Amino acid sequence: MLGSSIYIYINVKIKGKDYKFVFDTGTENTDISKHAAYKLGLKTLDAYNGFHMAHFYSIAIGDIIYKASIAFVFDPLTQEKTLEQMDGVIGIDFIRRMGEICIDVRAKELIFPISNIKTKQHIHNIRLENGRKLFIESNDESGNLKLLLSTGEMETYFLQPYYDKHSDKFADENMILQNKGSNVQNIDDVLRVPDIKLCSVGHYVTLSNARIEKNENQVGMDGVLGMDFINRFNRVTLDFNNMSITMD
């Protein structure tokens, strides 16, 4: 359910009760809020670095039932990203097991499982790194780009590796140094550039007033494609059985 929100919310049933979770392709693990875990009386286990995990006997998302599942427990008050009225986050660990999912932006619906819609071509244009990070085939004049697809981010943004690839170009751009905010950690500078052009799965996109988060220690990916990218299309269909995505 997209509704008027900037995020995609779905109803999740645990112990016969309905809860509101965010559908986030950019989160590796499914999470549940500390408050919801307490209300449900879930058994929690120590994980690592002070994190806790909750054990579900079963959790239902639509017609799909996951047995003996585990989610990380988080405190919304400590999160950098504010998600109002949220009981939890459905991460890629659950999403990939749905098989094929359609984000119908125009109808404001999330459709799964899909039994009567077939992708146009079975082209492998997405990949799961270590089974948990969803990257979408993208490139620009510098070559291939490693971009994470995240429905849990409002805005697309780019990171230090992307900046390094285009540093000569950006030196001539009219860049704006943005206030990164007091709650943004591990970022040296936040820059705004007039536009960034790229191609994702055959679609050429220009992102205006694009954000770049700089940190010399950032490695591994060029950036994150958020909901502002997804909302450019009428429908986005993820097919984890064939590792493909179509955007219409």
Side-chain angles (χ1 to χ4, degrees), residues 183-201:
N183 65 337
V184 178
Q185 301 176 350
N186 303 321
I187 297 174
D188 296 329
D189 291 309
V190 177
L191 306 175
R192 291 282 180 178
V193 297
D195 61 65
I196 286 179
K197 295 180 173 139
L198 57 88
C199 178
S200 287
V201 195

Side-chain angles (χ1 to χ4, degrees), residues 12-19 21 32-43 54-56 58-59 87:
V12 172
K13 190 176 289 293
I14 308 170
K15 290 189 174 181
K17 297 180 180 179
D18 290 324
Y19 292 87
F21 278 53
I32 186 168
S33 72
K34 185 178 179 180
H35 176 68
Y38 176 78
K39 283 176 58 179
L40 284 161
L42 296 178
K43 180 180 179 182
H55 178 266
F56 303 93
S58 69
I59 177 171
D87 295 311

Side-chain angles (χ1 to χ4, degrees), residues 223-246:
V224 177
L225 298 172
M227 284 300 296
D228 58 341
F229 173 80
I230 290 169
N231 286 334
R232 290 169 176 265
F233 304 95
N234 293 322
R235 295 166 66 97
V236 175
T237 303
L238 284 162
D239 181 357
F240 289 98
N241 297 319
N242 296 289
M243 294 308 295
S244 67
I245 184 172
T246 56

Side-chain angles (χ1 to χ4, degrees), residues 18-193:
D18 290 324
Y19 292 87
K20 191 176 183 181
F21 278 53
V22 171
F23 177 89
D24 186 1
T25 59
T27 294
E28 296 183 34
N29 301 293
T30 291
D31 304 322
I32 186 168
S33 72
K34 185 178 179 180
H35 176 68
Y38 176 78
K39 283 176 58 179
L40 284 161
L42 296 178
K43 180 180 179 182
T44 59
L45 308 169
D46 291 334
Y48 57 88
N49 294 335
F51 288 98
H52 293 85
M53 303 176 76
H55 178 266
F56 303 93
Y57 173 72
S58 69
I59 177 171
I61 306 172
D63 295 331
I64 301 174
I65 299 175
Y66 300 93
K67 296 283 189 180
S69 300
I70 291 176
F72 281 89
V73 180
F74 71 95
D75 185 346
L77 297 178
T78 65
Q79 301 300 297
E80 292 180 7
K81 182 168 55 179
T82 301
L83 301 174
E84 72 279 3
Q85 300 177 355
M86 175 188 65
D87 295 311
V89 178
I90 294 296
I92 200 68
D93 54 342
F94 278 31
I95 294 170
R96 65 182 181 181
R97 292 156 67 185
M98 294 178 182
E100 195 172 6
I101 311 110
C102 175
I103 303 170
D104 194 324
V105 176
R106 178 174 290 184
K108 297 183 178 180
E109 291 180 343
L110 187 68
I111 305 167
F112 65 91
I114 299 173
S115 58
N116 59 346
I117 300 176
K118 295 183 179 180
T119 52
K120 293 178 181 178
Q121 295 178 332
H122 293 319
I123 300 173
H124 300 310
N125 49 22
I126 58 173
R127 67 185 180 85
L128 284 172
E129 187 174 275
N130 299 322
R132 294 297 177 92
K133 291 183 181 291
L134 178 62
F135 290 100
I136 178 172
E137 181 182 277
S138 303
N139 60 78
D140 66 5
E141 72 244 3
S142 71
N144 291 331
L145 297 174
K146 193 173 181 181
L147 299 177
L148 184 79
L149 185 66
S150 177
T151 55
E153 292 289 346
M154 292 183 291
E155 180 185 12
T156 294
Y157 61 91
F158 299 85
L159 300 170
Q160 184 77 42
Y162 181 89
Y163 178 85
D164 292 340
K165 290 178 182 178
H166 302 81
S167 57
D168 292 342
K169 174 181 180 243
F170 291 145
D172 298 328
E173 294 269 10
N174 181 23
M175 293 190 300
I176 300 172
L177 183 62
Q178 177 183 317
N179 185 345
K180 62 185 178 181
S182 60
N183 65 337
V184 178
Q185 301 176 350
N186 303 321
I187 297 174
D188 296 329
D189 291 309
V190 177
L191 306 175
R192 291 282 180 178
V193 297

